[in-house]
Amino acid sequence: MSITVNNITKSFGNQKALNNVSFSIEKGEIVGFLGPNGAGKSTMMRVLTTYYKADEGNAAVNGFDVEKTKRQVQQSIGYLPEHNPLYLEMYVKEYLAFNADVYKVSNKRIIEVIEQTGLTPEAHKKIGQLSKGYRQRVGLAAALLHDPEVLILDEPTTGLDPNQLVEIRKLIRKIGKEKTILLSTHIMKEVEAVCDRVIIINKGELVADKKLEDLREVEQQIIEVEFDYRVEEVLLKKLPNVSQVKNTGGFVYEITFNTSKDMRPAVFDFAHDNQLKTLQLSKKNKNLESLFTELTS
């Protein structure tokens, strides 16, 4: 196992941040770590990266105990915290060289991670001149310098625009072909796009641990559509396999279908036949969203 967590409990004063949490992650998995604000996600990540000491239980990374063999754990992990700590006045190469010196890795490795993370066009700039997306790439490059087997990423796409989101997700998927990744996020689409499995915690307790393919097996989906005009819900209910129609505001509708078949073409044809323009049409993973809401509300 790349990561093993056994009955971890951690408190801050009277506040129990983690309560008897256990899970394991196999080598090569990309696991989404979900939970509402204050659920304990960051605390667990800091226990795994040796920043926090657990009150009870034990954990290991690549077989190294996080308490007894901290140095080996730190060498096994690349960590990107939620608030990426960068020196904005340093040049990209300068910052990576600084980190490389800490890890005792060669200058050749700096060039490799710059290429790996797509930083080559910006490598000559100061970090303060970079967009948020490229700053995240710098953080990922620093986390990859010592070629760790495990990456722990805490909210790596916070504050990114849609184009930057797509770029970072592609980069994480690419890196995930060679590394084990534990990814904390609030964004369900991010989990769907890059993860193999999801772990959900709430109020410091593990409430779900499921593979995404198992969630997708349930034959139900939500199509979100925005027309250019209001539509009577009774008309939308005549579409095949519809179980529910909900107007979520304006001309936006959520249509629930009891089938695994992609129903977006049927909704598009409905709009065409009724002389409506489709301004937005997307398929949502009802199972993951509903599971998260059910377990954390």
Side-chain angles (χ1 to χ4, degrees):
M1 291 291 176
S2 285
I3 297 175
T4 305
V5 174
N6 294 311
N7 308 118
I8 288 290
T9 296
K10 175 67 177 175
S11 297
F12 299 96
N14 295 326
Q15 179 68 37
K16 189 167 283 189
L18 297 170
N19 185 21
N20 201 35
V21 176
S22 298
F23 61 85
S24 60
I25 300 176
E26 294 184 7
K27 184 176 181 179
E29 280 192 295
I30 304 179
V31 177
F33 198 36
L34 304 182
N37 288 331
K41 303 187 301 297
S42 293
T43 300
M44 176 57 74
M45 289 182 159
R46 288 167 186 164
V47 168
L48 291 173
T49 53
T50 75
Y51 284 90
Y52 287 163
K53 180 179 179 180
D55 299 331
E56 298 176 23
N58 59 79
V61 177
N62 286 336
F64 298 112
D65 187 281
V66 297
E67 289 298 325
K68 299 176 181 177
T69 51
K70 289 185 179 182
R71 179 62 61 86
Q72 290 90 333
V73 170
Q74 292 164 2
Q75 291 172 340
S76 299
I77 288 178
Y79 178 43
L80 180 63
E82 181 177 359
H83 302 291
N84 190 1
L86 299 172
Y87 295 102
L88 302 185
E89 291 303 312
M90 296 181 77
Y91 291 93
V92 172
K93 286 185 178 180
E94 181 185 12
Y95 175 75
L96 293 176
F98 170 76
N99 282 272
D101 186 57
V102 173
Y103 288 113
K104 307 300 181 186
V105 299
S106 67
N107 288 334
K108 179 183 177 182
R109 182 60 185 159
I110 296 173
I111 301 303
E112 289 174 352
V113 297
I114 285 174
E115 293 176 353
Q116 185 179 6
T117 55
L119 276 168
T120 303
E122 309 294 318
H124 64 286
K125 292 183 179 179
K126 285 187 176 182
I127 295 173
Q129 295 176 299
L130 304 181
S131 67
K132 180 69 184 293
Y134 273 105
R135 291 185 191 185
Q136 289 298 80
R137 289 173 184 261
V138 173
L140 278 171
L144 289 166
L145 268 173
H146 57 299
D147 198 21
E149 295 186 36
V150 176
L151 275 181
I152 295 183
L153 310 178
D154 194 355
E155 302 286 352
T157 58
T158 298
L160 302 187
D161 66 34
N163 290 332
Q164 293 169 341
L165 275 171
V166 172
E167 291 171 358
I168 295 298
R169 286 173 185 166
K170 286 181 179 178
L171 179 56
I172 292 171
R173 280 201 304 270
K174 179 182 176 182
I175 294 170
K177 294 177 181 179
E178 302 174 354
K179 311 287 183 185
T180 301
I181 299 178
L182 181 62
L183 169 71
S184 169
T185 182
H186 288 94
I187 306 171
M188 300 300 159
K189 289 184 178 179
E190 190 166 296
V191 176
E192 295 171 37
V194 303
C195 297
D196 309 308
R197 180 173 143 218
V198 60
I199 293 172
I200 303 175
I201 64 172
N202 187 44
K203 297 178 180 178
E205 297 186 355
L206 190 147
V207 293
D209 184 349
K210 292 181 178 290
K211 290 187 176 182
L212 285 183
E213 63 183 22
D214 294 337
L215 290 172
R216 295 188 184 108
E217 285 180 359
V218 179
E219 295 191 346
Q220 197 171 64
Q221 66 184 280
I222 290 178
I223 301 297
E224 184 176 68
V225 59
E226 181 179 6
F227 301 115
D228 65 335
Y229 200 78
R230 183 172 293 277
V231 179
E232 292 294 331
E233 293 181 14
V234 66
L235 295 177
L236 290 169
K237 288 180 179 178
K238 292 182 179 180
L239 286 164
N241 304 306
V242 171
S243 63
Q244 184 179 0
V245 175
K246 180 181 178 182
N247 176 243
T248 59
F251 305 148
V252 180
Y253 298 84
E254 284 188 353
I255 311 171
T256 304
F257 294 91
N258 288 326
T259 176
S260 59
K261 179 183 177 182
D262 189 349
M263 296 302 292
R264 284 175 293 184
V267 176
F268 183 85
D269 289 343
F270 168 87
H272 179 268
D273 295 342
N274 288 274
Q275 298 182 326
L276 296 165
K277 290 182 180 178
T278 305
L279 305 181
Q280 172 187 317
L281 182 62
S282 60
K283 183 179 177 182
K284 300 172 69 177
N285 188 332
K286 175 179 173 60
N287 303 305
L288 180 55
E289 291 186 354
S290 61
L291 177 67
F292 181 85
T293 301
E294 177 186 344
L295 295 175
T296 62
S297 60

